[in-house]
Amino acid sequence: MGRHTRAILAGLGLAGLLLAAGPAAEAQADAGPVDADVQMQFLHPQVAPGRQFHFYLLTHLKSGTLSTFRGLVHLPEGMTYVPVVERTCEPTSANKREIACRPDSQSLTVQVADDVPVGTRLTITATADIGDAVDTHPEDNTARQEVLVKPGADWSVKWTGPTTPVQPGSTPVTTRLVVTNHGQEADLPFILTSGPGDYPRQMEYYGKWDKTCGIATEGNGLLCRPTTPVPPGGTITYTFRFKVYPAALGKEQRREARVSSEFPATEPDINDNTTTLVVKVADKAAQPTGKPTSPATGGAKPTSAPTTAPGDHLADTGGAGTGSALTAAGAAAAVGGGLLLTSRRRRRSH
């Protein structure tokens, strides 16, 4: 037997040993009982027909080890899974109602069909997939959640301000933001407004605002949160004032506002949840008006002030005192010259 033949046989023997040890090692990894757990978490198990909602799937092993472990979700008819880029969960059926997810915490987005009747209750089922392993507490391997298909609050928002161009200055611009609930349930809305983004500053919030509003963490705007639910058909009104700066001359100032529900999935129509405030600023700053001259009393005609020739506004340049002195000096020189000329003529006559 040659050297190369012995080397090949030795390699085959080592490979055989590895193949023989493989299944045993895998069986050892899955040996023993396990304790798996699956849960679902919902912000609010209610959704309007045609809308999407989100929930969390939590799948983990309390004890034991498994080479293959995942969470399975079954959606009822009328619901479909919406895949995401992360691909931590993937549909395993053509109708996208069966989903397999990695362990730990995963977020799922589900679409509800438009034709699901209002009042329908749909049940979602989640299962911990442990294969052939034995679970010491199988009662927590399955979780179910019922979702009610029913519209909730339905918001609209409108922000109005001056209808004519405004002037920059100390007088603030007053605007009003009105939020209306057109839906079937009372709710607490969130109102978010945009803030100034221009430099130099052109228009900023002025004075105090409603006590339910505060500075938003994004956008330099305001976040308002009413303290009591707004009933169906009810409205709330916010008054916001702005200071307009000279840098805004000739420019439109825009601020946006958005309203959202405490439970967004229950709102049937979100197309009217945003509004834009438009404040037009005049092209030129207002010129100060002069004080009218009081008419003379006693029937005398008022005397008109002498006009000044162009270029002679010395007072406008800060030289008012110098101009008066120069005028007086010129008058004195003229008078002195006249006296000198008269004196000379008298001497010649003698």
Side-chain angles (χ1 to χ4, degrees):
M1 183 182 297
R3 181 181 302 173
H4 293 289
T5 303
R6 289 195 301 269
I8 293 173
L9 290 176
L12 290 174
L14 179 59
L17 290 174
L18 291 175
L19 289 174
E26 183 177 348
Q28 184 177 2
D30 289 346
V34 298
D35 186 7
D37 176 72
V38 62
Q39 299 178 31
M40 289 184 289
Q41 292 182 352
F42 288 74
L43 174 64
H44 187 60
Q46 180 179 336
V47 60
R51 292 299 311 279
Q52 295 181 357
F53 67 95
H54 309 274
F55 73 94
Y56 283 92
L57 176 70
L58 294 84
T59 311
H60 70 284
L61 282 175
K62 296 180 180 179
S63 63
T65 57
L66 288 172
S67 58
T68 302
F69 179 54
R70 59 182 183 171
L72 302 179
V73 176
H74 168 74
L75 299 177
E77 186 176 355
M79 291 183 177
T80 54
Y81 171 65
V82 181
V84 294
V85 178
E86 290 80 3
R87 299 176 65 88
T88 54
C89 295
E90 294 188 4
T92 58
S93 62
N95 59 12
K96 297 182 181 179
R97 289 170 49 197
E98 308 295 333
I99 309 105
C101 298
R102 298 176 186 175
D104 299 326
S105 176
Q106 308 298 343
S107 175
L108 289 86
T109 301
V110 176
Q111 174 74 48
V112 176
D114 296 331
D115 57 356
V116 177
V118 173
T120 302
R121 296 182 181 272
L122 301 176
T123 301
I124 301 175
T125 304
T127 305
D129 182 13
I130 61 174
D132 296 331
V134 177
D135 196 302
T136 56
H137 298 88
E139 63 274 7
D140 55 6
N141 284 18
T142 302
R144 293 179 178 85
Q145 177 64 58
E146 195 175 72
V147 178
L148 174 63
V149 180
K150 180 185 177 184
D154 188 7
W155 302 104
S156 70
V157 60
K158 188 174 183 180
W159 203 351
T160 58
T163 57
T164 57
V166 301
Q167 284 285 347
S170 58
T171 302
V173 175
T174 300
T175 68
R176 286 178 174 81
L177 189 146
V178 180
V179 178
T180 305
N181 182 4
H182 303 278
Q184 302 178 15
E185 296 182 353
D187 197 1
L188 289 169
F190 292 90
I191 300 100
L192 181 65
T193 71
S194 63
D198 299 321
Y199 183 83
R201 56 186 178 178
Q202 298 181 15
M203 188 174 81
E204 292 184 347
Y205 288 102
Y206 176 85
K208 296 181 179 180
W209 46 74
D210 192 272
K211 62 182 180 180
T212 62
C213 300
I215 299 296
T217 56
E218 297 180 2
N220 298 321
L222 299 178
L223 176 62
C224 303
R225 174 74 165 159
T227 55
T228 57
V230 181
T235 62
I236 51 176
T237 302
Y238 292 92
T239 299
F240 297 117
R241 294 188 297 168
F242 293 90
K243 183 176 181 180
V244 180
Y245 292 87
L249 278 174
K251 302 176 183 178
E252 280 190 350
Q253 301 299 307
R254 292 177 175 267
R255 296 292 184 271
E256 294 184 353
R258 182 176 72 252
V259 58
S260 60
S261 174
E262 183 178 15
F263 308 116
T266 65
E267 187 170 1
D269 182 13
I270 59 174
N271 293 321
D272 53 356
N273 283 28
T274 59
T275 183
T276 302
L277 168 70
V278 179
V279 176
K280 295 182 178 180
V281 184
D283 294 335
K284 297 180 180 179
Q287 300 296 326
T289 56
K291 295 182 179 180
T293 304
S294 301
T297 58
K301 294 182 179 180
T303 57
S304 59
T307 58
T308 306
D312 290 345
H313 299 280
L314 294 177
D316 293 341
T317 63
T322 305
S324 301
L326 289 175
T327 303
V335 173
L339 292 175
L340 180 61
L341 180 60
T342 303
S343 176
R344 288 178 179 177
R345 286 179 178 176
R346 288 179 178 176
R347 289 178 181 178
R348 288 179 182 177
S349 61
H350 288 292

